[in-house]
């Protein structure tokens, strides 16, 4: 069964453009028959399951100069073809000190997500752009990026929240001729931090549920802003827990009981968890409450540590 379904994926033409204009030109020329390829790990998985058909042209975008991390004023810019391993390497290079995705950074959620993606061989070739554009709700890095309000720089000329691009299973809102060039992540100032948590049955399994959380605290350690996003068994795309976010605002960040109560009261209004062979919807909902609460507390502890350090300096 597997071999017959994978036989539907038999591209005839392999193109390796060296600039963005050529990519756009090829995408317009071949339309539905063309598919971009970066690390190839997502395409491989989809093709293996017989979920791609009619693709005759592969456009390899790894020849573009889109593998980098740059810090520019209040934005971190990551080229779409940067592999996960390279993200880890560049984030802790001496020019980025202190390390960009470490526990002491406001972008710690990215470090958390990268550390749970397995195996290493996949991280060595899988790109940040491919992780977003595969558009599967149980991937880890996109959920962390959404919680950090990441923005997609789309070639040739568009900017959009990554959250708005993800519209459903394998569905990404890119028009003909468009592709993802760069991801922009706002660098929050003040007492901010973030975290990402994944629950899976085994170490190398897809997330039964995952959760990204970014938080800012005010001087009196109360939550002044919070962003909470879930992936995994929550439907066709990652979901933002809007009512839960709103109810968390103003709470004292160390008041675990009140935080727990917010999740008990509001989360079921934000999320519709799914049942499948791995877990029931009810189980996932209970898991979502626990993961969300832990992610909020972890982010708040990190933000509070940053506050202590900033006040000392
Ligand atoms: C064995 C294995 C284990 C895995 N484990 C995990 C895990 O633990 N956690 C997790 O989150 N993920 C996991 N993954 C998924 C992995 O993260 C994705 O396959 C990977 O991120 C996709 O990136 P890629 O560069 O390989 O994309 P590709 O396969 O090259 O492309 C994927 C899709 O995105 C499109 N695309 C790629 N780049 C762009 C762009 N710049 N603009 C527009 N469209 C683009 C392609 O056309 C294609 O449709 C695993 C995958 C494998 C094979």
């Amino acid at each position: 069964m597997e071999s017959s379904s994978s036989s539907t994926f038999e591209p005839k033409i392999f193109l390796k453009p060296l600039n963005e204009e050529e990519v756009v030109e090829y995408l317009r020329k071949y339309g539905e028959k063309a598919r971009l390829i970066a690390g190839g790990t997502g395409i491989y998985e989809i093709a293996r399951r017989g979920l791609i058909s009619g693709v005759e042209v592969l456009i390899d975008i790894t020849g573009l100069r889109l593998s980098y991390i740059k810090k520019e004023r209040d934005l971190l810019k990551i080229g779409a073809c940067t592999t996960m391993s390279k993200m880890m390497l560049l984030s802790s290079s001496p020019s980025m000190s202190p390390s960009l995705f470490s526990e002491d950074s406001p972008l710690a959620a990215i470090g958390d997500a990268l550390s749970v993606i397995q195996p290493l061989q996949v991280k060595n070739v899988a790109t940040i752009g491919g992780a977003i554009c595969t558009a599967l709700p149980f991937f880890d890095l996109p959920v962390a990026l959404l919680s950090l309000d990441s923005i997609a720089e789309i070639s040739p000329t568009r900017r959009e929240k990554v959250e708005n691009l993800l519209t459903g299973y394998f569905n990404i809102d890119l028009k003909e001729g468009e592709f993802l060039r760069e991801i922009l992540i706002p660098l929050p100032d003040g007492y901010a931090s973030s975290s990402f948590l994944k629950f899976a049955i085994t170490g190398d399994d897809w997330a039964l549920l995952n959760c990204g959380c970014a938080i800012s605290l005010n001087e009196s350690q109360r939550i002044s802003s919070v962003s909470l996003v879930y992936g995994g068994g929550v439907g066709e795309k990652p979901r933002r827990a809007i009512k839960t976010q709103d109810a968390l605002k103003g709470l004292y960040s160390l008041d675990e009981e009140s935080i727990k109560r917010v999740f008990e009261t509001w989360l079921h209004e934000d999320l519709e968890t799914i049942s499948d062979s791995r877990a029931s919807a009810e189980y996932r909902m209970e898991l979502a409450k626990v993961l969300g609460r832990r992610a909020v507390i972890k982010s708040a502890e990190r933000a509070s540590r940053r506050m202590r350090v900033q006040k000392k300096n």
Side-chain angles (χ1 to χ4, degrees), residues 27 34-46 52 58-59 61 66 80-84 113 116-119 122 125-135 138-142 172 174 178-182 198 203-207 210:
L27 285 171
R35 189 63 82 99
L36 294 185
I37 182 164
T41 63
I43 290 195
Y44 164 77
E45 277 293 311
I46 304 164
I52 301 186
L58 280 181
I59 306 170
I61 54 170
L66 293 180
C81 293
T82 314
T83 66
M84 296 175 182
V116 297
I117 296 172
Q118 298 294 341
V122 165
V125 287
T127 63
I128 183 170
I132 294 170
C133 295
T134 306
F138 45 81
F139 279 10
D140 298 308
L141 190 54
I172 180 120
L174 291 175
E178 287 189 337
F179 72 99
L180 179 57
R181 175 200 298 140
E182 190 177 58
K198 169 180 185 173
D204 55 2
D205 196 6
W206 303 112
N210 58 21

Side-chain angles (χ1 to χ4, degrees), residues 136-200:
L136 280 173
F138 45 81
F139 279 10
D140 298 308
L141 190 54
V143 169
L145 292 169
L146 260 56
S147 71
L148 294 164
D149 290 330
S150 303
I151 298 156
E153 184 79 40
I154 297 161
S155 192
T157 52
R158 188 158 71 98
R159 226 175 230 202
E160 185 57 83
K161 280 188 164 190
V162 175
E163 193 163 348
N164 297 340
L165 284 184
L166 300 173
T167 52
Y169 284 117
F170 302 122
N171 271 329
I172 180 120
D173 184 21
L174 291 175
K175 320 265 182 273
E176 195 177 283
E178 287 189 337
F179 72 99
L180 179 57
R181 175 200 298 140
E182 190 177 58
I183 294 88
L184 313 177
I185 308 168
L187 290 165
D189 50 12
Y191 312 129
S193 196
S194 61
S195 67
F196 170 88
L197 294 173
K198 169 180 185 173
F199 187 90

Side-chain angles (χ1 to χ4, degrees), residues 69 86-100:
I69 298 187
K86 193 159 177 192
M87 281 174 69
M88 290 163 79
L89 195 73
L90 293 178
S91 69
S92 53
S93 68
S95 65
M96 291 296 175
S97 176
S99 181
L100 281 173

Side-chain angles (χ1 to χ4, degrees), residues 2-151:
E2 197 170 283
S3 58
S4 69
S5 58
S6 60
S7 67
T8 58
F9 183 65
E10 289 174 350
K12 307 277 184 301
I13 303 173
F14 186 85
L15 300 165
K16 190 156 183 180
L18 296 177
N19 59 60
E20 292 183 29
E21 292 72 25
E22 264 185 273
V23 178
V24 172
E25 188 188 315
Y26 289 142
L27 285 171
R28 287 189 177 143
K29 178 171 173 187
Y30 294 106
E32 292 281 294
K33 292 183 188 153
R35 189 63 82 99
L36 294 185
I37 182 164
T41 63
I43 290 195
Y44 164 77
E45 277 293 311
I46 304 164
R48 204 168 66 90
R49 289 175 163 77
L51 298 171
I52 301 186
S53 60
V55 173
E56 294 174 11
V57 183
L58 280 181
I59 306 170
D60 180 347
I61 54 170
T62 56
L64 307 182
R65 293 171 166 262
L66 293 180
S67 174
Y68 57 81
I69 298 187
K70 294 179 205 161
K71 228 171 166 179
E72 278 182 21
R73 292 183 296 278
D74 54 354
L75 283 179
L76 188 73
K77 300 184 167 188
I78 307 181
C81 293
T82 314
T83 66
M84 296 175 182
S85 293
K86 193 159 177 192
M87 281 174 69
M88 290 163 79
L89 195 73
L90 293 178
S91 69
S92 53
S93 68
S95 65
M96 291 296 175
S97 176
S99 181
L100 281 173
F101 307 141
S102 72
E103 289 206 6
D104 301 325
S105 147
L107 308 185
I110 296 180
D112 292 342
L114 290 173
S115 71
V116 297
I117 296 172
Q118 298 294 341
L120 179 63
Q121 292 90 325
V122 165
K123 286 196 277 202
N124 286 343
V125 287
T127 63
I128 183 170
I132 294 170
C133 295
T134 306
L136 280 173
F138 45 81
F139 279 10
D140 298 308
L141 190 54
V143 169
L145 292 169
L146 260 56
S147 71
L148 294 164
D149 290 330
S150 303
I151 298 156

